[in-house]
């Protein structure tokens, strides 16, 4: 990134130290090349020579946001049978548009939790190569799942012989699948522990992989230095996934006290997509979501939000995960106000999308807070999000890796 060697001085009303929760006002952040040099109270005399000064008065600076659950290669208006028309190359091109929208919404890091044909890995690499602009993509490749489960494609009859690429049954088969994903570039592993809302013919609350299989997946992934995310709505599946040692559980709809305690003991992160239900029930039918999925959503949405409140109260490690791709990319920030509505403080919601996510990814020495020495992923919002969280829906300035991406 020394190609861009450039010094910036960002002057704003304030900056949020997401670790302490303190507001630095007025704030000046100095960026050199792709690193943060200093964060502190404004001191106009100390500007480095040749720096480009960016005036962000009226605004608050924050570290670049993380969304721990997206599907960049999926579109919200293409669901159900419509998705059968989408090839992996077509999905990769969609991903280019969605990566830019995500970055413009202030999300400089994402976990892409599942894509067919390794389209997410192609997208990640195109962003790294500078061919297209987008967030730092931590990509899973095809999600692992049981035959006929949530991570399989069950739309067609047996004559068509359709199985998703990540389908594997049995402890050694799942280990082989983890190895295959690593071979083709995955930097994390996603598997489906229970049924889901949007898959045909799955019971949303029912466990799918056995304990033995989940343990095999996690053991193999950890052996190779990758983190693991488990899709789990149902109580038994959530518990088995936590016991297997997953780094995060996605959705976590039907959690109980025992599962919450297990997560606390193990330090497992919960990534709960509590905005999603509004889009599915509002726009889902038009987008092609199956009637049976809409029925399932009616049973999941409200319960998931109550579970979120419980988990926050209990002090579980929480990250920000939206499942964007089910709903429109770029609208990721809409979830912040729901996280506050259902039990978080404004600071907790911001921590979920910054330092907590960086810790989940084991990237917290590099990213997740505005600190000297960290990578220059910085955003600005109007006003003060600690007072009005809805300003997170409108990110006006985005810097990633020391480059201004939106102003
Ligand atoms: N991908 C998830 C599934 O199909 C979406 C769940 C959305 N619903 C919710 N209430 N979060 O299961």
């Amino acid at each position: 990134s020394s190609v861009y060697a450039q010094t910036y001085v960002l002057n704003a009303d304030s900056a949020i130290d997401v670790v302490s929760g303190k507001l630095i006002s007025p704030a000046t952040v100095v960026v050199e090349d792709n690193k943060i040099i200093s964060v502190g109270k404004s001191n106009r005399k100390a500007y480095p020579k040749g720096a480009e000064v960016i005036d962000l008065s009226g605004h608050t600076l924050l570290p670049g946001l993380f969304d721990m659950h997206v599907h960049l290669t999926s579109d919200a208006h293409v669901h159900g049978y419509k998705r059968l028309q989408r090839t992996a190359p077509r999905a990769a091109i969609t991903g280019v548009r969605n990566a830019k929208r995500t970055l413009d919404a202030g999300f400089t890091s994402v976990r892409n939790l599942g894509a067919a044909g390794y389209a997410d890995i192609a997208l990640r690499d195109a962003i790294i190569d500078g061919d297209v602009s987008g967030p730092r993509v931590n990509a899973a490749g095809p999600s692992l799942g049981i035959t006929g489960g949530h991570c399989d494609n069950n739309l067609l009859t047996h004559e068509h012989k359709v199985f998703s690429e990540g389908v594997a049954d049995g402890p050694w088969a799942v280990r082989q699948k983890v190895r295959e994903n690593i071979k083709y570039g995955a930097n994390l592993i996603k598997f489906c522990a229970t049924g889901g809302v949007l898959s045909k013919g799955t019971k949303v609350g029912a466990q799918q992989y056995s304990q033995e299989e989940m343990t095999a997946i996690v053991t193999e992934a950890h052996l190779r230095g990758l983190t693991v995310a488990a899709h789990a709505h149902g109580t038994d599946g959530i518990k088995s996934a936590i016991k297997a040692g997953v780094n995060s559980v996605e959705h976590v709809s039907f959690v109980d006290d025992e599962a919450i305690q297990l997560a606390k003991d193990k330090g497992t992160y919960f990534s709960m997509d509590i905005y999603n239900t509004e889009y599915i029930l509002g726009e889902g039918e038009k987008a092609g979501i199956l009637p049976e999925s809409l029925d399932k959503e009616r049973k999941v949405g409200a319960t998931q939000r109550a579970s979120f409140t419980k988990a926050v109260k209990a002090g579980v490690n929480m990250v920000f995960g939206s499942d964007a791709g089910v709903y429109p990319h770029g609208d990721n920030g809409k979830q912040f106000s729901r996280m506050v509505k259902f039990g978080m403080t404004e600071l907790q919601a911001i921590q979920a999308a910054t330092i907590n996510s960086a810790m989940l990814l084991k990237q917290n020495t590099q990213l997740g807070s505005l600190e000297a020495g960290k990578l220059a992923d910085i955003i600005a919002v109007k006003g003060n999000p600690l007072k009005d969280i809805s300003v997170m829906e409108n990110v006006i300035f985005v810097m990633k890796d020391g480059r201004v991406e939106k102003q």
Side-chain angles (χ1 to χ4, degrees), residues 11-271:
N11 286 323
D13 276 14
S14 41
I16 299 179
D17 174 351
V18 298
V19 178
S20 70
K22 292 218 171 80
L23 213 56
I24 301 155
S25 319
T28 292
V29 175
V30 179
V31 170
E32 213 175 278
D33 199 3
N34 66 335
K35 291 255 173 65
I36 297 172
I37 297 300
S38 64
V39 182
K41 292 240 187 207
S42 300
N43 177 3
R44 293 194 170 266
K45 278 174 235 149
Y47 291 173
K49 272 216 177 82
E52 186 177 333
V53 179
I54 299 179
D55 177 20
L56 291 161
S57 52
H59 294 82
T60 300
L61 297 172
L62 295 129
L65 305 172
F66 290 64
D67 190 333
M68 291 293 91
H69 192 141
V70 300
H71 298 277
L72 292 172
T73 59
S74 300
D75 272 329
H77 60 283
V78 184
H79 274 289
Y81 283 90
K82 292 191 198 173
R83 283 209 173 160
L84 292 175
Q85 298 297 317
R86 289 251 162 148
T87 61
R90 177 70 187 84
I93 294 167
T94 287
V96 171
R97 185 236 292 136
N98 293 334
K100 176 70 178 142
R101 285 188 184 168
T102 303
L103 184 61
D104 283 349
F107 291 82
T108 52
S109 292
V110 298
R111 275 194 315 181
N112 201 81
L113 294 187
Y118 297 94
D120 54 346
I121 284 160
L123 178 61
R124 176 198 69 198
D125 292 345
I127 293 168
I128 291 171
D129 289 346
D131 294 349
V132 298
S133 61
R136 301 173 191 273
V137 178
N138 301 276
S143 299
L144 276 66
I146 65 161
T147 298
H150 179 68
C151 284
D152 195 0
N153 186 334
N154 311 315
L155 291 168
L156 297 169
T157 60
H158 77 282
E159 284 99 335
H160 298 277
K161 298 189 171 49
V162 172
F163 297 89
S164 293
E165 293 157 283
V167 169
D169 300 289
W172 282 106
V174 297
R175 278 181 181 259
Q176 190 274 338
K177 202 47 97 173
V178 168
R179 291 168 185 175
E180 195 174 307
N181 278 356
I182 295 172
K183 170 173 171 167
Y184 295 121
N187 31 32
L188 55 103
I189 298 296
K190 154 88 178 286
F191 73 84
C192 284
T194 73
V197 172
L198 299 174
S199 51
K200 189 175 178 214
T202 71
K203 293 192 177 71
V204 67
Q207 182 164 341
Q208 295 190 339
Y209 270 129
S210 66
Q211 181 70 66
E212 190 185 7
E213 289 166 307
M214 293 191 210
T215 301
I217 293 170
V218 175
T219 306
E220 186 66 31
H222 285 177
L223 188 73
R224 302 291 300 279
L226 276 72
T227 57
V228 182
H231 157 109
H233 289 284
T235 320
D236 293 339
I238 293 169
K239 287 177 193 170
S240 287
I242 297 170
K243 285 179 190 158
V246 299
N247 302 82
S248 73
V249 183
E250 309 302 305
H251 311 300
V252 212
S253 306
F254 303 107
V255 79
D256 66 4
D257 292 340
E258 190 192 337
I260 284 177
Q261 193 54 51
L262 270 173
K264 288 194 68 177
D265 293 345
K266 286 239 180 197
T268 316
Y269 288 83
F270 284 179
S271 162

Side-chain angles (χ1 to χ4, degrees), residues 1-8 10 29-38 136 365-378 399-405:
S1 51
S2 58
V3 199
Y4 306 110
Q6 167 84 55
T7 307
Y8 289 102
L10 312 180
V29 175
V30 179
V31 170
E32 213 175 278
D33 199 3
N34 66 335
K35 291 255 173 65
I36 297 172
I37 297 300
S38 64
R136 301 173 191 273
T365 59
Q366 295 280 294
L367 294 165
S369 61
L370 297 177
E371 280 179 79
K374 285 197 174 181
L375 296 170
D377 285 13
I378 304 169
M399 174 178 275
K400 183 193 139 205
D401 212 31
R403 284 188 69 182
V404 177
E405 299 275 1

Side-chain angles (χ1 to χ4, degrees), residues 12 38 68 139 163 185 274 294 304 316 320 338 355 379:
S38 64
M68 291 293 91
F163 297 89
I274 61 168
L294 296 172
Q304 186 193 30
V316 175
F320 183 107
R338 278 67 176 182
I355 192 66
I379 65 160

